[in-house]
Amino acid sequence: MNEKYGKSGAKESTPSKSEYFSWINNTNEGSTEEQTLVNFAYFDYLKRTYGMQLDIYAWDAGNLDGARETYETFDSPKIKAQYPNGYGPVAKAAEKLDTRLGVWGGPDGFGKTKESAEKRLEQMVSHARDYRFALFKFDGVCGRLAPENRP
């Protein structure tokens, strides 16, 4: 048991965050820069009109990794097609709304070499450092963690 937070790890004073999950618009194919910016325009309208603050805009699988162990990189053809300008314009639009990004991905993507593992780690760090991602959801929908990568 966690003495500080109790059994659940959270208590009444634990802050909550409002989150939008893009699964409503797309699933494993992922969204596009254009779709995401249109959604941000709508959340901007809600903020200006009603004072609604969106804390996290989370992308579904397909914006990073996809079903059946398809692990993408910033320079993969799929991500370049969906986000031809990279994640920068989307991250800037989110920041204007005081919103942070999030993404659903798979637990692996480390490849079979030290170089590929380091590249994957840098990619995850870059999401937080360069694009202000606040949420990472990793699970088996996008694939499994290969036994050799478990250590």
Side-chain angles (χ1 to χ4, degrees), residues 65 71-74 106-127 138 145-146 148-151:
D65 301 328
Y71 297 102
E72 303 293 341
T73 63
F74 290 135
D108 210 325
F110 297 101
K112 299 193 183 303
T113 67
K114 183 178 180 181
E115 180 183 85
S116 63
E118 288 173 358
K119 188 173 182 180
R120 176 72 170 181
L121 288 171
E122 173 53 30
Q123 181 184 23
M124 294 302 115
V125 169
S126 174
H127 280 82
F138 296 114
L145 181 60
E148 63 272 16
N149 289 331
R150 291 179 187 165

Side-chain angles (χ1 to χ4, degrees), residues 5-19:
Y5 298 110
K7 290 181 183 178
S8 69
K11 59 184 183 175
E12 290 178 12
S13 61
T14 301
S16 60
K17 301 284 183 183
S18 62
E19 177 187 339

Side-chain angles (χ1 to χ4, degrees), residues 11-76:
K11 59 184 183 175
E12 290 178 12
S13 61
T14 301
S16 60
K17 301 284 183 183
S18 62
E19 177 187 339
Y20 171 82
F21 185 40
S22 75
W23 179 69
I24 293 168
N25 292 125
N26 57 271
T27 57
N28 286 325
E29 77 277 5
S31 64
T32 65
E33 178 180 308
E34 181 182 12
Q35 289 171 323
T36 304
L37 292 175
V38 166
N39 284 349
F40 280 142
Y42 180 67
F43 286 116
D44 179 53
Y45 163 78
L46 291 175
K47 185 173 186 169
R48 287 182 289 106
T49 306
Y50 302 105
M52 190 206 95
Q53 176 60 49
L54 178 66
D55 295 311
I56 299 172
Y57 184 100
W59 277 322
D60 192 12
N63 287 294
L64 174 62
D65 301 328
R68 298 183 191 94
E69 301 176 12
T70 53
Y71 297 102
E72 303 293 341
T73 63
F74 290 135
D75 58 354
S76 70

Side-chain angles (χ1 to χ4, degrees), residues 64-109:
L64 174 62
D65 301 328
R68 298 183 191 94
E69 301 176 12
T70 53
Y71 297 102
E72 303 293 341
T73 63
F74 290 135
D75 58 354
S76 70
K78 180 181 186 300
I79 299 300
K80 281 186 165 187
Q82 289 171 256
Y83 292 86
N85 301 301
Y87 289 168
V90 172
K92 283 183 177 138
E95 190 171 8
K96 283 174 128 178
L97 295 172
D98 199 25
T99 299
R100 308 261 314 260
L101 295 169
V103 70
W104 186 357
D108 210 325

